[in-house]
Every structure is written in C-alpha cells, then in structure tokens.
Amino acid sequence: MAWAVEKIRVMSEAAGSPGLIAVASGMTPENVGAYKPYAKYFLVSTGVSESFTKLDPSRVRAFAKEVGND
C-alpha cells in the first residue's frame, strides 16, 4: 500500500531536500511519478512482480523508465 503523496511531500519539506527521502511501500510504474518531486530513491518489489517470488520484466522496465532521469 502506497503512502499518501501529501505525507511524502511533508516529510521531504521537513527534511529540507528530496534527496534525503526514500519511499519503499506501494511503488508501481503507475504511481511512482507522483512521488518523484519529493523523493530521490524508490524501493520496489511487489509493485513490479508477477507473484511473491517472480518479477515481471516488463513492469521492471516500466518502473525504471518512470524513475529515470528527466
């Protein structure tokens, strides 16, 4: 389950820099873009997986594309 974007925004502002924040819950290729202004690092697992033990290569590529440098 992803954190509310507003919560991550508040944490980023309190930290003084997006580079100090990492998000590790609920990240998917579809939602990670909303968090990019407020965090620099994203940890992902089930959001790019076919099952608990198998990654979905197309979702991994999509996530990497969304997180990539602008």
Side-chain angles (χ1 to χ4, degrees):
M1 185 168 156
W3 289 97
V5 174
E6 178 65 11
K7 182 170 187 161
I8 301 303
R9 182 193 65 76
V10 169
M11 291 171 62
S12 178
E13 287 179 3
S17 170
L20 299 177
I21 300 295
V23 182
S25 293
M27 295 293 93
T28 68
E30 296 80 17
N31 70 7
V32 71
Y35 297 85
K36 284 178 65 175
Y38 311 113
K40 184 173 181 180
Y41 302 102
F42 302 94
L43 286 74
V44 64
S45 180
T46 57
V48 295
S49 297
E50 291 180 17
S51 69
F52 188 71
T53 59
K54 186 175 181 187
L55 293 174
D56 178 337
S58 65
R59 288 189 60 76
V60 172
R61 285 189 296 275
F63 190 87
K65 182 179 178 182
E66 289 297 322
V67 174
N69 295 328
D70 292 308

